[in-house]
Amino acid sequence: MLTTLQTTYTDTRAADLAWALGRDRLPALAVLHLELESAKVELRLLGASHQVLLDEGEVHCSETVACMPGSSTPLPLGVAKRVGDWEYEFAARVETLSRGSFAGRAQELLALVADHPNGLAGTFPGSPHAFTAMLAQRHEGQVRWRTWHAYPQESQLVATRTRVGVRMTAAL
C-alpha cells in the first residue's frame, strides 16, 4: 500500500534516528494491520519514522525507529535481545548514494513495497523520494520485517532488518 502522508517532512536527518524496544503505541499517519499465521502485526508510519507492533501468543513486541526527543539510544548497527521466550534481532545500516543512484533506488523500493500485500509506504508532499517504507513476512516460524527511511536532501537511505522468533537450536 502506498500513501501520501499529510504532514510536513520533519525527521530530516538520518543521524537523528533513534531505536527503542518496548515503547507504547505512538500516533501514526498510516497503519497496516496484518495477520501472518498466528501473529498479529501492525506496521505504523510515524512521519519519517516507523513503529512495528507484534503480538503472538504471549509475545508482545514494539519496535520504534524515530527521532525521539530525550532518547539516549541512537540507531544501533545491531541488537540481539530476548523477548519472553523469543529472540529479537535488529540490524540497521545507512547508505549514502549519488543523487542519480538515490533516485533510482527510491523508485525501486517504492515499487516493491507499494505492490506487496504486506507492504506499507508513505511519501511526503514536495519530494517523491522522501519516504518511509515497510515490508513484513512470516518465514520458517519467524516474523521478519524490513524498513527503509529515505533522506533525499542527504542522498541517504536508512535500511533496517528485524527478526523475531523462537530461538533456533543447532542439531547435534
Side-chain angles (χ1 to χ4, degrees):
M1 178 171 86
L2 178 62
T3 186
T4 299
L5 301 172
Q6 300 305 312
T7 187
T8 56
Y9 189 55
T10 56
D11 294 353
T12 57
R13 293 184 52 228
D16 292 338
L17 285 176
W19 167 87
L21 191 61
R23 287 184 69 107
D24 289 335
R25 178 179 273 115
L26 297 171
L29 299 171
V31 178
L32 179 63
H33 297 274
L34 299 171
E35 290 198 22
L36 304 175
E37 295 176 19
S38 60
K40 290 184 182 189
V41 179
E42 263 186 53
L43 302 179
R44 304 171 61 77
L45 295 178
L46 317 172
S49 316
H50 82 259
Q51 186 173 51
V52 177
L53 305 177
L54 166 66
D55 287 302
E56 183 168 16
E58 299 298 313
V59 176
H60 306 289
C61 180
S62 166
E63 172 188 283
T64 306
V65 172
C67 296
M68 296 177 270
S71 175
S72 61
T73 307
L75 191 63
L77 294 177
V79 173
K81 290 190 173 269
R82 302 267 309 171
V83 177
D85 291 334
W86 291 56
E87 295 283 329
Y88 168 91
E89 291 181 6
F90 172 86
R93 79 174 192 282
V94 179
E95 283 182 81
T96 302
L97 306 164
S98 70
R99 294 251 181 240
S101 294
F102 181 86
R105 184 73 174 132
Q107 290 174 337
E108 208 174 76
L109 289 168
L110 284 172
L112 169 76
V113 175
D115 293 336
H116 197 286
N118 297 343
L120 175 62
T123 59
F124 294 87
S127 176
H129 302 129
F131 68 89
T132 300
M134 310 169 72
L135 188 60
Q137 68 176 7
R138 178 98 188 192
H139 182 70
E140 296 179 355
Q142 301 172 341
V143 178
R144 301 174 181 199
W145 58 88
R146 297 192 64 189
T147 73
W148 299 271
H149 305 253
Y151 298 92
Q153 70 285 1
E154 298 177 318
S155 291
Q156 288 189 321
L157 186 64
V158 177
T160 74
R161 184 180 69 242
T162 302
R163 180 186 67 83
V164 181
V166 175
R167 190 166 140 188
M168 300 296 216
T169 54
L172 297 177

